[in-house]
Amino acid sequence: MDAVTPILVDRAQARGGLWPRMGLSAALHAVVLPIVMIWMVADPPEDQAPKAVMQISLGGAPGPRAGGMTPMSARAADAAPPTSRPTPVAPPAPKAPDMTLPDTRKTPQRETPKAPEATQGTAVAETGVRTGAAFGGLSTGGSSGTSGYLDVANFCCPEYLATMTQLIHRNWNGKQQVAGETLVKYTIQRDGRVTNVEVEKSSGYFALDQTSQRALLVTRQFPQLPPQFTEGTLTVHLIFRYER
Amino acid sequence: MRTLGLYALSLQVQGGTAADPVVNHDILSLIARSSLLAKFVLLILILFSVISWGVILYKLWSLGRAERQSATFLDIFRKSSKFSEVQAVCKNLNDSPLVGVFQAGYAELNTQLRQSTPAAPAGAPVRSTLKSLPALDRALLRAATVEINRLEDRVSFLATTASITPYIGLFGTVWGIMSAFQGIGATGSTNLGVVAPGIAEALIATAAGLFAAIPAVYFYNHLSGRVKLLASEMDDFSLEFLNISERNFT
């Protein structure tokens, strides 16, 4: 009989200590798992909804346009708006000189280029699908009508739009030399930042487009979107109307 | 079974608080609402986790003992001048793999020496010699194999856990999402409030699978490395033992 084999068999069979560790592991699981779960119950993930921040605006917002309080620089809210423009007093026309020489120079006849003859009239109606809510835009004259609209239907809060137009109006230089309309599109982020300002429909005058864009870029920050409004961003199409 | 008891208890605790309509997205109510199959999958994963952690703790403990006792044994072996002295110490260092190798070698050595010196005259200085060095080598090799098997015992369960549990979890998730989509089809609503809880519930299974798998992967590699170290230590010791035997007994 080999002397080595019994020793090897003994050693191969001798093992212990597994089951105590198994029990320890089970106890660890029994402690850790409920703790983790109860901890998650007691501490649910925080609500990510933005907090409603009270808006305090100085300088009399929302201002006379919204029919509210009056900034000190503007007319009083209860004062009657001027009904008609004062007609400027025309200066007397300069007197014609008594004697003039007849103008012998022949005025050059200006050739007007001939336009191609229209054979058939086609009219394209620009409807502009306006699915969203409409609101008053910006105008230098008194007439405003419907001149802005949103990408979302049923926007909850008209007072927000009033504040918005008020803020833009402060930064807008409406006194321009020409009349025209610029349609500007921009997006308000959840926190009120203005992004993606672009001219959607040009007025044809660079100055007007530039002034309109500048009004938004200078404003840059609106109040946070109202908490009742659930989506992340609000896209606004706003018409800047320059009148003479 | 203690785990399951506490687990059921925690479910009941949740049942008490679930009356509050605000707290219904947490993990316990998700589990409580999930289907029977999802619960079964979770149960299997928890069992895997419990067993693999049991193996991890066991192997950490036994390998730690083996390493400590091997160091002590080597100390004693190199200081003492007689194998019989070393043999006397072996009983206290039974967890070291080197002890197994040494005992096998010593037994083989003794057998060979006893057979080679039957007719020595009493009183004369006897130089006993080994009959076969390769036989001694084979005995050491056999012992080393047995010891390696002992060291690697149950470590392979960790590899199994590491590779299986993510798939089991994935299975639970896929099944849960399937039934979530069936629910969507039945209600006809794609509202996030309808879709999200079902998917969240399904994803718990994947999370549980990873929860079981990640420690298993880590400790499998860790323990395999330590077993490999011990095995090379054993090879080294075998060669040392052979050298000493050849020097003294041939």
Side-chain angles (χ1 to χ4, degrees):
Chain A
M1 176 65 186
D2 188 8
V4 178
T5 310
I7 294 174
L8 295 187
V9 170
D10 269 3
R11 297 222 21 118
Q13 282 169 351
R15 61 178 66 128
L18 174 64
W19 290 109
R21 269 81 204 173
M22 221 46 115
L24 183 61
S25 161
L28 270 180
H29 278 74
V31 171
V32 169
L33 283 182
I35 283 178
V36 167
M37 288 179 179
I38 287 166
W39 172 63
M40 290 181 96
V41 172
D43 195 16
E46 291 201 7
D47 216 354
Q48 293 300 315
K51 288 173 192 155
V53 176
M54 185 164 64
Q55 298 288 339
I56 301 174
S57 39
L58 302 174
R65 265 162 201 286
M69 286 167 67
T70 314
M72 286 165 80
S73 59
R75 64 185 162 78
D78 52 355
T83 49
S84 59
R85 293 181 182 207
T87 49
V89 181
K95 256 174 91 177
D98 289 335
M99 285 201 325
T100 50
L101 285 173
D103 194 3
T104 52
R105 285 174 299 162
K106 195 180 174 192
T107 51
Q109 204 75 31
R110 193 173 288 166
E111 283 278 327
T112 50
K114 243 191 175 175
E117 201 96 340
T119 53
Q120 196 183 0
T122 45
V124 178
E126 174 64 43
T127 56
V129 185
R130 295 185 176 184
T131 51
F135 65 96
L138 291 170
S139 161
T140 52
S143 66
S144 69
T146 304
S147 38
Y149 59 97
L150 310 173
D151 266 0
V152 282
N154 309 325
F155 184 66
C156 60
C157 314
E159 45 307 304
Y160 184 81
L161 295 180
T163 311
M164 183 190 79
T165 38
Q166 178 75 20
L167 284 170
I168 298 172
H169 199 268
R170 281 192 201 160
N171 295 316
W172 180 43
N173 179 15
K175 297 190 183 70
Q176 298 292 329
Q177 300 302 312
V178 285
E181 278 186 4
T182 306
L183 179 57
V184 178
K185 177 185 160 195
Y186 58 94
T187 306
I188 306 179
Q189 302 295 325
R190 188 80 244 176
D191 57 2
R193 276 182 303 113
V194 180
T195 53
N196 302 337
V197 180
E198 53 184 274
V199 175
E200 198 170 28
K201 209 173 111 197
S202 169
S203 62
Y205 299 101
F206 179 71
L208 299 193
D209 297 346
Q210 193 73 0
T211 311
S212 313
Q213 261 187 306
R214 185 177 174 280
L216 284 165
L217 293 175
V218 168
T219 305
R220 207 169 69 201
Q221 179 75 40
F222 288 120
Q224 281 189 348
L225 287 177
Q228 298 96 308
F229 181 63
T230 50
E231 285 168 42
T233 60
L234 175 66
T235 301
V236 186
H237 306 258
L238 187 63
I239 291 181
F240 289 82
R241 187 170 291 147
Y242 300 84
E243 293 175 8
R244 294 230 58 186
Chain B
M1 285 329 284
R2 239 178 107 196
T3 324
L4 299 181
L6 273 173
Y7 193 61
L9 191 72
S10 59
L11 286 180
Q12 283 164 2
V13 167
Q14 166 56 18
T17 57
D20 187 0
V22 180
V23 192
N24 59 357
H25 294 300
D26 59 76
I27 202 163
L28 277 188
S29 58
L30 282 179
I31 294 172
R33 271 190 282 128
S34 59
S35 64
L36 199 66
L37 186 116
K39 281 175 188 155
F40 182 64
V41 164
L42 281 180
L43 190 69
I44 289 180
L45 290 176
I46 288 173
L47 272 182
F48 261 105
S49 179
V50 168
I51 297 175
S52 69
W53 270 102
V55 170
I56 287 168
L57 293 174
Y58 168 64
K59 290 316 282 188
L60 283 178
W61 170 77
S62 63
L63 288 185
R65 275 176 76 97
E67 282 161 7
R68 255 177 290 130
Q69 297 194 359
S70 294
T72 317
F73 175 79
L74 271 185
D75 251 17
I76 293 170
F77 179 78
R78 285 175 184 155
K79 274 179 195 155
S80 61
S81 53
K82 285 182 185 166
F83 279 172
S84 53
E85 283 174 13
V86 181
Q87 172 71 9
V89 180
C90 280
K91 281 198 186 72
N92 300 327
L93 303 173
N94 232 344
D95 283 324
S96 166
L98 302 187
V99 168
V101 174
F102 172 80
Q103 283 181 332
Y106 185 65
E108 175 70 26
L109 200 65
N110 265 347
T111 319
Q112 287 198 23
L113 294 182
R114 233 178 279 134
Q115 286 169 355
S116 65
T117 55
V126 176
R127 183 173 169 81
S128 48
T129 54
L130 266 180
K131 270 204 306 196
S132 154
L133 202 61
L136 179 60
D137 191 13
R138 278 193 293 274
L140 292 174
L141 208 60
R142 281 178 68 194
T145 315
V146 168
E147 294 302 323
I148 286 180
N149 283 345
R150 273 186 66 192
L151 292 174
E152 281 180 343
D153 184 36
R154 296 182 208 280
V155 174
S156 62
F157 181 82
L158 295 182
T160 310
T161 303
S163 50
I164 277 187
T165 50
Y167 291 118
I168 296 177
L170 191 63
F171 169 70
T173 294
V174 168
W175 193 271
I177 286 183
M178 260 164 60
S179 44
F181 276 113
Q182 275 173 357
I184 294 166
T187 57
S189 164
T190 55
N191 186 359
L192 200 62
V194 177
V195 181
I199 293 176
E201 168 202 318
L203 286 174
I204 286 181
T206 304
L210 295 178
F211 174 79
I214 290 169
V217 175
Y218 174 78
F219 281 104
Y220 176 73
N221 288 328
H222 175 86
L223 296 172
S224 304
R226 280 168 74 170
V227 167
K228 211 184 280 177
L229 268 182
L230 280 172
S232 61
E233 207 170 294
M234 249 174 348
D235 286 345
D236 180 60
F237 178 77
S238 302
L239 296 176
E240 191 177 342
F241 189 92
L242 266 185
N243 263 353
I244 293 172
S245 308
E246 190 173 6
R247 233 180 285 135
N248 293 337
F249 301 114
T250 52

